[in-house]
Amino acid sequence: MGTRVVIALGGNAILRPKQEATVEIQLKNLETSAEQIAKIEKLNYEVVLTHGNGPQVGNILRQNEVAKDVVPPAPLEVCNAESQGFIGYMMEQTIKNALRKNDSDATVVTLHTQTEVDRCDQAFQQPNKPIGIFYDEAEAEQLIKEKSWTMMEDAGRGYRRVVPSPMPLLIHGMDAISHLLSKNIIVIAGGGGGIPVYRDDEGMLHGLEAVIDKDRTGKKMAEQVNADVFMMLTDVPNVYINYGKPNQKKLEELSVAEAEQYMAEGHFADGSMGPKMEAAISFAKNGRKAIICALDEADLALQGKAGTIISG
Ligand code: ADP
Ligand code: MG
């Protein structure tokens, strides 16, 4: 059995800022991570992949908005499921092609993944994750009345819908993933943080209009599949202290205690590096390894030659 790694791909793996969201561009971007995954597979790792979906689900919401008089709009969790489907397809294909070039006999499957959350999670009291398109003030008021959405002004650019971002409790399909890994199959799962669902008092599952942070879901999956390493690939080569200041300093290897100290000192921004470091610390605490590195240095980071490595 190989070493087991769960890898969370950052948004830039699929689409970079200001790029047009065509399938051609997204497939092209995905080649970088696909090559990395093929290299990691060659190093004899068992690989589970997860990914973000912010721009993609934003566009699905926009399609729904534009076409709402023709086709009834789908709720947010269904939009998430749609994004898992088409992003999974694009990833699966680019990785299969990279494996083929490497003469590997490994293969890839994509799983639709439900992520259970607690209906009483405090996030439901204060929705704070902006999604979808911008509206003007009058439209925002209308949507609050009609759909009971929570709307928030976003940095002078207009109003956006905000939804809750609850903690993932349990990710479905983990037995299937472990089985697939043992058959030399790379698994793509939990995309966009997973499809948010909850269980009612009778134990029945229902979808929820929420989004779940992909780094938190990745960490939860890493725990559930008993991974040795949890990696987050992003658009910076390292985590830094004093980030963006003249005295910024890159972190290479650090302990959980050191990471907690820097976290408490406020070095990691909310909504970007904050959730990554929170996930890394929480995973590494159980005596395991968490890595944050650049998309094109994943294989090096796994070999201890790049990135920021947090060890428990
Ligand atoms: P992803 O799509 O990979 O989740 P994010 O934008 O959420 O990407 O997180 C990566 C970003 O975190 C970097 O581009 C960087 O601007 C920001 N960041 C905030 N604080 C730090 C830090 N201390 N060290 C490195 N990057 C940081
Ligand atoms: Mg992020």
Side-chain angles (χ1 to χ4, degrees):
M1 198 175 104
T3 308
R4 196 166 275 191
V5 58
V6 172
I7 304 178
L9 296 183
N12 67 319
I14 315 174
L15 199 64
R16 305 200 187 108
K18 301 207 171 81
Q19 282 184 325
E20 204 188 350
T22 65
V23 168
E24 289 77 11
I25 288 175
Q26 297 180 80
L27 280 172
K28 184 80 197 136
N29 289 337
L30 279 166
E31 285 175 11
T32 305
S33 45
E35 279 164 24
Q36 291 292 312
I37 303 309
K39 281 188 195 166
I40 290 169
E41 193 278 329
K42 215 170 196 169
L43 294 169
N44 206 23
Y45 282 87
E46 294 181 346
V47 182
V48 183
L49 282 169
T50 190
H51 58 84
N53 72 345
Q56 291 77 18
V57 85
N59 284 341
I60 294 172
L61 289 164
R62 183 168 185 187
Q63 285 174 335
N64 277 331
E65 185 63 32
V66 171
K68 65 177 184 291
D69 298 328
V70 187
V71 181
L76 185 52
E77 72 276 14
V78 175
C79 298
N80 180 299
E82 285 182 38
S83 77
Q84 282 190 351
F86 92 88
I87 296 172
Y89 159 67
M90 295 191 296
M91 284 175 63
E92 191 177 312
Q93 191 171 74
T94 46
I95 296 167
K96 280 180 170 166
N97 289 344
L99 291 167
R100 180 105 178 187
K101 283 185 197 151
N102 263 8
D103 288 325
S104 165
D105 54 11
T107 186
V108 190
V109 298
T110 308
L111 296 180
H112 261 109
T113 316
Q114 304 188 47
T115 301
E116 271 184 58
V117 305
D118 181 355
R119 196 72 186 89
C120 300
D121 190 304
Q122 61 179 28
F124 291 101
Q125 261 70 64
Q126 37 185 232
N128 61 4
K129 180 83 187 160
I131 56 158
I133 61 171
F134 289 92
Y135 299 92
D136 66 30
E137 197 174 345
E139 290 168 327
E141 273 168 19
Q142 188 71 15
L143 288 163
I144 293 169
K145 246 189 260 156
E146 262 176 30
K147 304 197 183 185
S148 310
W149 284 1
T150 309
M151 306 293 290
M152 222 183 251
E153 217 279 324
D154 190 334
R157 295 177 295 178
Y159 288 80
R160 283 177 97 188
R161 182 181 180 194
V162 286
V163 296
S165 186
M167 296 297 283
L169 290 184
L170 182 79
I171 298 153
H172 289 209
M174 291 302 119
D175 292 345
I177 292 180
S178 287
H179 179 72
L180 293 167
L181 293 176
S182 71
K183 302 281 179 209
N184 202 20
I185 299 172
I186 294 168
V187 183
I188 300 165
I195 304 162
V197 298
Y198 74 99
R199 271 192 203 281
D200 66 19
D201 296 339
E202 276 77 50
M204 297 297 117
L205 290 167
H206 305 275
L208 271 175
E209 296 223 277
V211 293
I212 305 170
D213 179 78
K214 71 155 194 314
D215 298 317
R216 288 181 179 154
T217 293
K219 179 241 154 185
K220 197 64 162 180
M221 273 207 305
E223 287 175 352
Q224 283 184 237
V225 298
N226 212 6
D228 305 282
V229 187
F230 172 46
M231 297 186 88
M232 288 162 274
L233 311 190
T234 186
D235 58 357
V236 283
N238 287 87
V239 182
Y240 300 82
I241 50 172
N242 303 312
Y243 180 65
K245 296 181 191 153
N247 61 341
Q248 86 171 20
K249 181 172 162 266
K250 77 171 172 194
L251 300 171
E252 289 177 309
E253 287 188 24
L254 68 165
S255 66
V256 166
E258 286 166 322
E260 281 177 329
Q261 172 74 32
Y262 293 138
M263 186 90 168
E265 289 169 9
H267 288 283
F268 314 125
D270 284 351
S272 58
M273 196 47 75
K276 288 189 205 306
M277 283 303 279
E278 173 200 293
I281 290 168
S282 166
F283 183 75
K285 265 189 178 160
N286 300 318
R288 297 180 188 201
K289 203 170 10 173
I291 300 175
I292 298 169
C293 68
L295 196 61
D296 56 356
E297 291 185 332
D299 66 321
L300 292 176
L302 264 178
Q303 299 170 84
K305 296 177 196 161
T308 296
I309 303 175
I310 299 127
S311 306

